[in-house]
Amino acid sequence: MDKKKGAAPLVCHGHSRPVVDLFYSPITPDGFFLISASKDSIPMLRNGETGDWIGTFQGHKGAVWSSCLDKPALHAASASADFSTKLWDALTGDELHSFEHKHIVRACAFSEDTHLLLTGGFEKILRIYDLNRPDAPPREVENSPGSVRTLAWLHSDQMILSSCSDMGGVRLWDARSGEIVRTLETKAAVTSAEVSQDGRYITTADGSTVKFWDANHFGLVKSYDMPCNMESASLEPRFGNKFVAGGEDLWVHVFDFHTGAEIACNKGHHGPVHCVRFSPGGESYASGSEDGTIRIWQTLNHNEEDTTLANGPSENVKDAAGDVTHKVESLNIADEKKPGEEGVETDV
């Protein structure tokens, strides 16, 4: 297949420092949303389709390394270099709780049932907070072999996935016992780990390799050598026939899932690409860069793809549970401070 140059992206300004993490909500009754983490200390919420800025979450005093939304997009969480993870009301922007840690927090993730919040970082400890009792001490899993870089839940919150900043491999934990039950071996440290929307695949980026693992039996399904070191990769959720990857060459690459052939290359960022993620419907994908911008790219020929593919048809995205009592478009999150203003005190 001939390599194609993608259409001009939607460029989202606002962050004053590098964008290091992106997270899309599932599709909700009010659409879907994109939250970004940046070294400028202020996570930002956007309309996932248009990229329009909705608001910022203000309160961190250090670089924010990770941010996420719960399934109905009613709450947000952010992990920071200020030794805290914060829980936010995604409708109002209010800080609901600050979970204090003893070192830099690099990753956070809501459980699928939205009742738990998982965190990890330089302490080499996984913490699980009960959001129904936010003041209660967390459950701690202390035997991470290294500093935690990425976290995710899988198998209906029965298992936890983690990777480390200072060693290769992805650890799979039994959430109940707190024991490592499997390690997916990689040569380099895994800088990005994503569980596919249908729960069938784990996508990892380690060094100059992108791998796809069976999320049920944990065998290696595909492994592709990349043209450079890739910091992040994401599998298209609707058809599962392509994936995007971004890294040190400043470009956002699109590859064929079945062959590994590059089918598109998107140029525009002025710094290394730190994170890429597909939207929940697969019609677009977002990239965040050292240049402080988010770019939303349209998926080429998305509605013309054959749905009968080797890895099977994907299920439709389910509407998120819960009633949204206010339209998110009418949010006024932290209107006293416009996006792009600096406020970082710790950048580690």
Side-chain angles (χ1 to χ4, degrees):
M1 184 181 294
D2 293 334
K3 189 191 302 185
K4 297 182 180 179
K5 181 180 179 181
L10 298 170
V11 182
C12 307
H13 297 281
H15 284 296
S16 60
R17 304 277 325 271
V19 178
V20 293
D21 189 38
L22 294 170
F23 184 93
Y24 276 105
S25 77
I27 297 173
T28 77
D30 290 299
F32 60 93
F33 303 94
L34 175 65
I35 190 170
S36 54
S38 168
K39 291 184 181 180
D40 65 8
S41 81
I42 47 174
M44 289 189 180
L45 185 67
R46 298 180 183 274
N47 180 300
E49 183 176 3
T50 66
D52 290 343
W53 177 80
I54 295 173
T56 61
F57 300 98
Q58 296 180 16
H60 280 297
K61 300 185 183 302
V64 175
W65 286 107
S66 176
S67 58
C68 58
L69 294 162
D70 66 2
K71 193 172 182 179
L74 296 176
H75 297 97
S78 52
S80 173
D82 66 7
F83 296 12
S84 76
T85 296
K86 293 185 184 295
L87 177 68
W88 311 88
D89 186 317
L91 298 178
T92 66
D94 294 336
E95 180 183 318
L96 300 178
H97 201 85
S98 183
F99 301 102
E100 299 305 317
H101 294 63
K102 297 178 182 178
H103 213 314
I104 293 165
V105 192
R106 287 297 304 262
C108 58
F110 285 105
S111 60
E112 184 178 350
D113 67 10
T114 74
H115 296 314
L116 304 174
L117 180 64
L118 174 67
T119 70
F122 281 24
E123 290 182 82
K124 304 180 183 180
I125 297 173
L126 277 60
R127 288 183 171 89
I128 302 172
Y129 294 91
D130 183 347
L131 298 181
N132 295 315
R133 301 184 302 134
D135 292 319
R139 181 180 165 214
E140 295 186 349
V141 179
E142 299 186 2
N143 53 343
S144 175
S147 173
V148 177
R149 174 67 183 264
T150 66
L151 289 171
W153 297 87
L154 68 162
H155 294 175
S156 300
D157 304 330
Q158 296 179 34
M159 297 194 73
I160 292 169
L161 173 157
S162 74
S163 71
C164 298
S165 301
D166 42 7
M167 63 182 65
V170 173
R171 279 91 198 161
L172 297 164
W173 308 72
D174 183 300
R176 179 172 295 180
S177 69
E179 299 296 325
I180 297 174
V181 296
R182 191 73 174 263
T183 299
L184 309 181
E185 299 293 346
T186 65
K187 292 182 179 179
V190 172
T191 52
S192 171
E194 175 191 72
V195 180
S196 65
Q197 192 167 268
D198 60 8
R200 297 176 64 184
Y201 296 103
I202 299 168
T203 304
T204 61
D206 67 291
S208 60
T209 306
V210 171
K211 295 181 174 68
F212 299 91
W213 310 81
D214 186 312
N216 294 303
H217 303 289
F218 308 120
L220 182 62
V221 179
K222 304 275 188 182
S223 179
Y224 295 121
D225 292 329
M226 297 284 103
C228 69
N229 284 336
M230 295 295 185
E231 193 168 339
S232 184
S234 181
L235 180 64
E236 194 279 330
R238 183 177 174 193
F239 301 111
N241 60 346
K242 59 173 70 77
F243 65 95
V244 294
E248 64 183 16
D249 67 357
L250 286 60
W251 300 345
V252 180
H253 302 264
V254 186
F255 299 92
D256 184 282
F257 172 81
H258 304 290
T259 66
E262 184 171 358
I263 55 179
C265 180
N266 300 298
K267 302 179 181 181
H269 281 299
H270 302 292
V273 177
H274 295 308
C275 44
V276 293
R277 284 294 179 262
F278 264 103
S279 66
E283 66 279 351
S284 62
Y285 47 94
S287 56
S289 167
E290 183 75 16
D291 65 17
T293 68
I294 300 165
R295 294 172 187 258
I296 298 177
W297 314 82
Q298 296 303 307
T299 305
L300 296 176
N301 303 322
H302 180 64
N303 294 321
E304 300 174 13
E305 301 286 356
D306 182 3
T307 58
T308 307
L309 299 170
N311 47 329
S314 300
E315 295 181 359
N316 293 330
V317 181
K318 296 180 181 179
D319 286 343
D323 295 327
V324 179
T325 57
H326 302 283
K327 293 293 183 181
V328 180
E329 286 76 8
S330 65
L331 281 180
N332 183 18
I333 300 178
D335 56 3
E336 73 277 5
K337 186 173 183 179
K338 299 299 181 182
E341 295 181 3
E342 296 189 16
V344 64
E345 297 179 8
T346 306
D347 182 7
V348 181

